Amino acid sequence: MKKLAIIAAAILTLSSCSALSKINWNEAQLAQAATTALTAASISDAQVIALSQKTVAELDAQNKLASETYQQRLGRLLADIPDVEGLKINYKVYETNEVNAFACGDGSIRVYSGLMDVMDDSELMAIIGHECGHVVHQDTKKAMRSAYLAAAAREAIGAAGGTIGALSNSVLGDIGESFISSQYSQKQEFEADEYGYKFSTEHGFSPYSMCNALEKLVRLAGSSQSSIVQKMFASHPDSAERAKRMRAKADATQGK
């Protein structure tokens, strides 16, 4: 029983899903969940990409696409960016007032119309670059594995013979929500900010694009609109400090 308790603790530590703490485990469930979780943790990079593709397809089915005006604006910004360091990108805009965006390890970029409403083109490019940075640095693969692990620990996925192709739409939807709400470390966020800075400046935008976007998020979080940026701030901690770092970098670039 002690061994099972240790395994259960490991599952809860690895998983980013707070709902797990509310599950009442018995010994049989612990054994099954532990076996399933270990299977989930060992999936390959190719399987993570396949899982990302299926998860994003389910999120696309669940979310209404924004009007053509949004799609065209995003398409114009990304027209000359067919790939990110060899990863072919595809993009869509979801219609929602939430301020958020995410990118997956299969090259999918999804932007919320609420984010596009509050960001100018340069700020939007910096945010997209930031999300691409998480892909380039493998953060999204780790986050997708954790989301899969959380589903496995809830016994949503069978340990014996289960395949990504056999996952139900509801499980894929749960994995997608867990992935979007993934928590990244401060180090991961700093590195993604650096990539967002590089991404936006290399495509002709101001060195201040990244810091302006972060400063705008900080202002929104402190305003009556705070609820619409809640998800983005849940996964992007210390935004004020990050904005300060990016402004200092931009100032140094400009010789100030």
Side-chain angles (χ1 to χ4, degrees):
M1 185 64 187
K2 182 177 180 182
K3 182 178 180 181
L4 288 174
I6 293 171
I7 294 173
I11 294 170
L12 293 173
T13 300
L14 286 169
S15 172
S16 63
C17 182
S18 61
L20 287 176
S21 62
K22 300 176 183 178
I23 297 176
N24 294 317
W25 302 91
N26 60 38
E27 187 164 338
Q29 288 173 322
L30 283 171
Q32 172 68 16
T35 304
T36 307
L38 290 173
T39 301
S42 65
I43 60 176
S44 67
D45 283 356
Q47 287 173 312
V48 170
I49 291 174
L51 179 60
S52 296
Q53 291 172 335
K54 291 185 69 66
T55 299
V56 171
E58 178 58 24
L59 290 173
D60 287 350
Q62 292 179 2
N63 287 277
K64 180 180 179 181
L65 294 184
S67 69
E68 194 62 26
T69 300
Y70 287 98
Q71 309 293 345
Q72 288 176 351
R73 180 186 171 197
L74 187 59
R76 173 174 53 81
L77 289 173
L78 299 179
D80 297 325
I81 311 173
D83 65 86
V84 176
E85 299 196 12
L87 189 66
K88 186 176 180 180
I89 64 172
N90 66 87
Y91 50 84
K92 291 181 180 178
V93 182
Y94 291 162
E95 183 178 311
T96 170
N97 66 348
E98 289 183 12
V99 176
N100 209 352
F102 65 90
C104 286
D106 67 327
S108 297
I109 296 173
R110 298 297 181 264
V111 180
Y112 293 16
S113 59
L115 178 69
M116 296 181 71
D117 287 339
V118 299
M119 298 288 173
D120 64 25
D121 285 356
S122 65
E123 294 160 352
L124 182 59
M125 282 293 280
I127 292 294
I128 292 172
H130 173 98
E131 297 303 326
C132 288
H134 283 308
V135 175
V136 171
H137 300 143
Q138 307 291 307
D139 302 337
T140 55
K141 285 185 178 179
K142 295 173 185 175
M144 187 59 76
R145 282 192 176 96
S146 293
Y148 185 89
L149 179 62
R154 290 194 299 271
E155 297 185 274
I157 306 166
T163 64
I164 289 171
L167 297 177
S168 69
N169 290 343
S170 62
V171 171
L172 288 168
D174 288 344
I175 291 172
E177 286 302 313
S178 293
F179 173 78
I180 293 171
S181 302
S182 297
Q183 296 278 325
Y184 293 120
S185 70
Q186 185 184 67
K187 179 177 182 291
Q188 288 173 320
E189 295 294 7
F190 283 167
E191 290 175 346
D193 288 343
E194 293 284 347
Y195 192 88
Y197 178 97
K198 174 175 174 283
F199 183 88
S200 56
T201 55
E202 285 186 349
H203 290 96
F205 292 96
S206 167
Y208 291 94
S209 300
M210 192 75 248
C211 69
N212 287 342
L214 290 169
E215 288 169 355
K216 187 169 286 185
L217 288 172
V218 171
R219 290 195 298 271
L220 285 170
S223 73
S224 59
Q225 295 177 283
S226 60
S227 61
I228 66 174
V229 296
Q230 184 176 5
K231 281 190 176 181
M232 175 159 273
F233 269 79
S235 60
H236 295 68
D238 304 318
S239 292
E241 174 61 25
R242 289 164 49 210
K244 183 178 178 180
R245 290 179 76 255
M246 288 296 98
R247 181 161 290 281
K249 183 179 180 72
D251 285 344
T253 302
Q254 300 299 300
K256 291 185 178 181

